[in-house]
Amino acid sequence: MSTQSGHQTPTSLLLKRSDGEKPMKTYCREMGTNQTSITEFLLLGFPLSPWIQMLLFGLFSLFYMFTLLGNGAILGLISLDSRLHTPMYFFLSHLAIVDIAYACNTVPQMLVNLLLPAKPISFVGCMTQMFLFLSFAHTECLFLVVMSYDRYVAICHPLRYSAIMTWRVCITLAVTSWTIGVLLSLIHLVLLLPLPFCRSQKINHFFCEIMAVLKVACADTHINEIIVLAGAISVLVGPLSSIVVSYMCILCAILQIQSGEGQRKALSTCSSHLCVVGLFYGTAIIMYVGPRYGNLKEQKKYLLLFHSLFNPMLNPLIYSLRNSEVKNTLKRVLGVERAL
C-alpha cells in the first residue's frame, strides 16, 4: 500500500486468505526496504469449544503444578541427602532443571491461549520461546546420552567407576551438554530471523514450534527445513543409537552377574532411565524425523503436547517410583518431618 508520492509507509494491511477466511488485519513494520514484516503472531492452539478450553485450562494447570512440584522434589531430595551426591544423581538434577524449564517455556503461554484465544504473542516473544524450546530439547537429548554413559561405566566397569566419572568429568559433560544445546538452537534462530513473515500471523500450534513458524514465512524455507531435519537426526538418531549400544553392553554385563540381588539392583538403576529415554526419543523422532504429510501432520501437534507437558511431569514419577534410593530418601525426609 503506497502513498501518493510512491513511498511505502508502515500501515495495517488486509491479507486475503486463499482458504476462504475473512481478510485478516496484520500489523506491519517497515524493514528499510519495500519488504514488511509482522510484529506479532496469533497462536491458534486447539480448535475446541469454550467450555472444553476451560476444562483443559484447569487440567493443564494441575499438570503444570505437578511438573514443578515433582521435579522440584527431585532437586530437593538430591540436595538434602549426601548419599545421592553421586554422578548419576548429579545428571538427574540437571534433567529435572531442564524439565522445569521445558514446562515453564511452553505451558504458561498455552494456558493464556486457552483463556484468551485472541491474545497474540509478540514477534520477539515467539522467537525467544522457539529458541528456548529447542535449547532445552537439545540439552535433554544430550543429558540422556550422558546418563546412559554413566550407567554403562557403573555396570560394565565398576572398579574403575570412581576413576572415570570424576567430578571434573561430570561438570565438563554437563557444561558441554548445555553449551551444545544452546549453540544448535542458535543456528536455527540465525537462519530463521532473516525470513520475512508477511503472509499470515496465524500459527497453527499452541506455542511457537519451529516448523509451524516456518509455515507462515513468505519466502522459500526449504533450506531451513533441511537444517531442522539434519539437526533432528544429529541430536535424536545419533544419540539414540549410542544409548542402544550402551544398554546392549549393560545387558551383557548384567547377565554375567552371578547373584540375583545384584542383577535386580543393576536393572532397577537402568529401568527408570530406559523409560524416560523411550518416552522422550519416541515422541521426538515421530515429530521431527517421521513423515511430514497426511493426517499425521495434525496429530503431531497433539503428540508435541504430550512431549512438552506430560513428559516433564512423568519423569520425576518414573525416577521416584522405580528407583529405590530416591524412595528411601523420600521416606527418610518424610519420617524426619513427622518426628518434628
Side-chain angles (χ1 to χ4, degrees):
M1 187 176 297
S2 304
T3 61
Q4 291 180 356
S5 60
H7 296 286
Q8 190 178 42
T9 59
T11 185
S12 297
L13 301 180
L14 291 178
L15 301 181
K16 182 171 290 186
R17 305 273 296 184
S18 59
D19 53 5
E21 292 182 6
K22 294 180 179 180
M24 178 182 58
K25 183 177 288 187
T26 304
Y27 297 94
C28 301
R29 55 184 171 83
E30 190 171 4
M31 300 291 292
T33 64
N34 289 334
Q35 192 177 40
T36 59
S37 177
I38 63 173
T39 58
E40 60 186 25
F41 294 107
L42 183 64
L43 299 172
L44 298 182
F46 304 100
L48 303 169
S49 61
W51 74 271
I52 294 181
Q53 288 185 330
M54 291 300 297
L55 178 64
L56 290 179
F57 174 82
L59 191 62
F60 291 166
S61 298
L62 193 62
F63 291 158
Y64 182 48
M65 182 182 67
F66 285 156
T67 299
L68 299 182
L69 290 177
N71 287 284
I74 292 289
L75 289 173
L77 292 174
I78 293 174
S79 63
L80 289 173
D81 194 342
S82 59
R83 282 166 287 197
L84 299 182
H85 294 174
T86 62
M88 173 183 173
Y89 294 102
F90 172 75
F91 296 130
L92 179 58
S93 65
H94 278 270
L95 187 65
I97 293 172
V98 172
D99 284 337
I100 291 174
Y102 222 134
C104 291
N105 182 50
T106 57
V107 178
Q109 181 64 46
M110 180 176 62
L111 296 177
V112 169
N113 289 342
L114 288 173
L115 280 182
L116 304 169
K119 183 176 177 61
I121 181 173
S122 67
F123 179 87
V124 174
C126 185
M127 295 299 106
T128 302
Q129 186 184 56
M130 184 197 70
F131 170 73
L132 291 177
F133 175 82
L134 291 173
S135 297
F136 299 141
H138 293 154
T139 303
E140 183 159 356
C141 284
L142 298 174
F143 267 115
L144 290 175
V145 175
V146 170
M147 293 173 73
S148 69
Y149 174 71
D150 173 72
R151 290 301 84 205
Y152 164 77
V153 176
I155 295 175
C156 297
H157 304 283
L159 299 179
R160 299 175 55 200
Y161 180 74
S162 299
I164 296 175
M165 298 302 295
T166 62
W167 281 114
R168 181 177 181 179
V169 170
C170 293
I171 293 173
T172 301
L173 289 173
V175 172
T176 302
S177 298
W178 281 102
T179 303
I180 293 177
V182 171
L183 290 179
L184 289 175
S185 305
L186 193 60
I187 292 174
H188 293 298
L189 184 65
V190 169
L191 291 175
L192 188 143
L193 283 177
L195 296 177
F197 295 92
C198 353
R199 182 170 60 200
S200 169
Q201 67 179 155
K202 292 184 178 180
I203 298 178
N204 185 22
H205 222 290
F206 61 89
F207 79 104
C208 291
E209 192 267 338
I210 184 168
M211 296 305 297
V213 173
L214 287 175
K215 286 180 174 58
V216 300
C218 55
D220 185 11
T221 60
H222 185 64
I223 298 298
N224 299 78
E225 293 173 1
I226 292 176
I227 297 298
V228 171
L229 179 60
I233 293 174
S234 65
V235 298
L236 291 174
V237 178
L240 181 60
S241 301
S242 66
I243 292 175
V244 170
V245 172
S246 297
Y247 273 98
M248 288 176 64
C249 297
I250 289 173
L251 181 60
C252 293
I254 290 175
L255 293 176
Q256 294 176 2
I257 298 177
Q258 299 298 325
S259 66
E261 182 64 26
Q263 288 184 344
R264 284 192 295 271
K265 184 177 180 180
L267 286 172
S268 66
T269 60
C270 298
S271 58
S272 55
H273 181 249
L274 278 175
C275 290
V276 173
V277 167
L279 286 173
F280 183 87
Y281 279 93
T283 54
I285 287 176
I286 293 174
M287 286 185 300
Y288 292 105
V289 183
R292 300 177 181 273
Y293 306 99
N295 295 331
L296 189 61
K297 186 177 177 181
E298 183 66 20
Q299 294 171 3
K300 286 182 179 181
K301 183 167 67 174
Y302 296 91
L303 189 62
L304 190 54
L305 174 65
F306 177 88
H307 184 78
S308 58
L309 178 62
F310 293 99
N311 268 8
M313 182 185 69
L314 292 175
N315 286 354
L317 291 176
I318 293 172
Y319 278 109
S320 60
L321 293 176
R322 301 189 63 86
N323 191 300
S324 59
E325 292 178 324
V326 173
K327 287 191 291 186
N328 292 335
T329 299
L330 181 60
K331 290 177 182 178
R332 284 192 294 269
V333 171
L334 294 177
V336 169
E337 290 182 352
R338 289 174 183 173
L340 294 175

